[in-house]
Amino acid sequence: DTNPSMESGGRPPAVMAAVMDKLLSDTNPSTNPSMAEDTNPSMAKGDGVSTEVVPIPSGPPPLPFLGNLRDLTGPDGGLHEHITRLVSEYGGLFSLQIPSGLINLPTAKFGGTVVLADPELLGELFQRPDVFQKRLFKHSAIRRGLGGQGLFTTDDDEPIHDQAARVLLPAFSMRGMQEYFEMIKETTAVLQQQFIEQGAAGAAVDLHPLLSRYTFDIIGKVGFGRDFSSLTGRPCSFLDRFQEFSESSLRLQQGIGGFSGAFKTSKAVAGLVTGELATSKRIVSQIEAEVKAVIADKKSLLAGEGGCPFKGAAPAPAPSEAEIDPAAAGGCPFAKKGIVKDMATRMLTEPDPETGELLPDDNIVNQAATFLIAGHDSTSTAITMLLYHVAQSPDVEERVYNEVMSVVGDGPITWDALGKMKYCTQVVKENLRLFSPAAQFVKTSPPDQTVTLGRYVVPPGTSFVCSTWGLHRNKTSTRTHSSSTPTAGPTRTRPSGRRTPGSPSATASAAASGSSSRSSSSASASPRSSASSTSASTSPPSSR
């Protein structure tokens, strides 16, 4: 009965509501300090229904000194894949001892470590941001790297995190994306030409390096007002050094034979012996110098070009007179009133709405490095695997093609057309489920307080390694679709010389060779703190 006039033996609803509020208050650690010290409360937080809480289930038994090293390493995959396998065996919540070198955060800093891949519990975790937070970056080696105190590498309790978020979030709004659309489309046309030229040569196209240059050029334009033109063959020292840094990091992770890269101390020793630590430091210094040069150029541009944040940009669609800011430079795509500025311009010119302060110069460099590195690499990895999965599923490719032709036809694609292509959106989301560029993120409970998550009691300082790969393959969840191999689609002739969908695809082999090492490394090490969609409303393409 969802609307009873009397409840529980004739007590009026208002009385029952007061009783339930009291019960919830008494069992909430934030309002009842005595509850914070209780490691076995009689009620689970959240719904007011009397439920005996239980300890977090144990995962595979750890070994002395080694923890769960044997369960998380081996030739059959990276950390993200081993955790996914453990999720299939132990469920969506279990304790684990992760060796210090396998993940870039000190998960045992305040307490134990728990793997979380249950959608219901993860939903509750996100709904309680004051309890479960990023708390470990300030204690990690990541902070001494390129990201510094960037958005992804600052903790929730650090003031600079919220300050930067308030300044930068408007750049990620839907309106901002709409204004950037023409720039993205312009770069996509260059990518299309590269496909045509390389395809005409008859050789397989190595997709990931090409897509890495594509996303890097886009980040340069919409984020910093700089055209790197790396797609057209212009030398790009930043990408060259990033590739060198990725390869050095991978060698450092592998250590000197065996599992020496699995522990922080042994990894440091291996880095000293092999010289990889010195190599990494040199590359980081060089990349940092380049990022500082990008920001310095942006400052000079803002000072000397009438405040236009995008020199040499393609003109925006003609606005009405009411939209034009008379003080803005003509032809600048950011000249309209109320238009979201690019990230660099926003950081350099927009004060925090709460404190009234501009971001410090060193933090702007940290944010720029974060977006240039994480922003281009995770996206290019996702697009590479998207094309790979579509190429492996001819019937999906056929439906994608048919939808594009029905919505766009032979004309140019528009912003409004994107929202009408529902099946394409589903395919993109399903690819993100199958291949999440960010394989896991970490949230930690209060170091000085016992809390609950669902019906489970959480000891102080417990770190939750939230596995997106495990979540998206958790077969115990009704929200997750399992992959199935679709049958070959119908064969027909396409216009404009397009290949028949049932025929072998060079794209598939090119994608596999171009993404196998870089994308797997990126997926297992990315610090991004977000969870992608757990399902798509369609039969998913094959993961093979």
Side-chain angles (χ1 to χ4, degrees), residues 145-146 239-251 276 279-284 287 373:
L146 287 169
L239 283 178
D240 292 341
R241 291 191 175 112
F242 178 71
Q243 176 67 25
E244 187 182 0
F245 178 78
S246 299
E247 294 171 353
S248 177
S249 298
L250 183 61
R251 291 192 297 268
E276 293 296 346
T279 299
S280 294
K281 289 181 178 180
R282 172 183 58 80
I283 300 171
V284 166
I287 293 179
I373 295 173

Side-chain angles (χ1 to χ4, degrees), residues 214-393:
Y214 165 68
T215 56
F216 185 76
D217 282 355
I218 289 176
I219 288 290
K221 287 182 178 180
V222 306
F224 302 92
R226 184 162 180 162
D227 187 1
F228 289 100
S229 297
S230 64
L231 259 179
T232 57
R234 180 188 295 179
C236 183
S237 58
F238 187 98
L239 283 178
D240 292 341
R241 291 191 175 112
F242 178 71
Q243 176 67 25
E244 187 182 0
F245 178 78
S246 299
E247 294 171 353
S248 177
S249 298
L250 183 61
R251 291 192 297 268
L252 195 59
Q253 181 68 41
Q254 293 170 340
I256 308 176
F259 300 118
S260 62
F263 299 94
K264 185 167 60 176
T265 302
S266 59
K267 184 189 295 186
V269 172
L272 289 172
V273 171
T274 61
E276 293 296 346
L277 276 181
T279 299
S280 294
K281 289 181 178 180
R282 172 183 58 80
I283 300 171
V284 166
S285 296
Q286 292 172 334
I287 293 179
E288 185 178 14
E290 292 204 35
V291 173
K292 288 181 177 179
V294 170
I295 297 300
D297 287 348
K298 168 61 71 174
K299 282 185 175 181
S300 176
L301 185 65
L302 289 172
E305 296 291 339
C308 176
F310 198 94
K311 182 180 180 181
S320 66
E321 291 185 7
E323 291 179 311
I324 293 292
D325 183 349
C332 175
F334 296 94
K336 299 180 188 178
K337 289 182 178 180
I339 293 304
V340 177
K341 300 177 181 179
D342 68 73
M343 289 178 289
T345 300
R346 179 167 290 277
M347 289 188 291
L348 290 167
T349 63
E350 291 289 325
D352 173 16
E354 287 194 10
T355 65
E357 300 175 351
L358 291 173
L359 290 177
D361 286 349
D362 59 344
N363 188 258
I364 292 175
V365 172
N366 294 156
Q367 305 293 355
T370 298
F371 290 120
L372 283 171
I373 295 173
H376 97 272
D377 191 58
S378 59
T379 310
S380 63
T381 297
I383 299 174
T384 298
M385 296 312 298
L386 170 65
L387 297 180
Y388 173 77
H389 286 137
V390 170
Q392 291 289 290
S393 308

Side-chain angles (χ1 to χ4, degrees), residues 417-485:
L418 293 180
K420 298 176 182 178
M421 293 190 287
K422 296 181 178 180
Y423 184 72
C424 287
T425 300
Q426 292 169 344
V427 171
V428 169
K429 289 183 176 181
E430 177 63 2
N431 174 72
L432 289 175
R433 184 186 74 82
L434 289 171
F435 196 91
S436 308
Q440 65 268 326
F441 56 94
V442 179
K443 298 282 188 176
T444 304
S445 70
D448 57 351
Q449 185 176 322
T450 295
V451 295
T452 59
L453 183 65
R455 66 190 186 98
Y456 300 99
V457 62
V458 180
T462 297
S463 289
F464 289 86
V465 176
C466 304
S467 170
T468 51
W469 276 62
L471 172 72
H472 296 168
R473 290 165 173 78
N474 187 352
K475 295 183 179 180
T476 63
S477 169
T478 57
R479 294 187 179 183
T480 304
H481 294 191
S482 60
S483 289
S484 58
T485 304

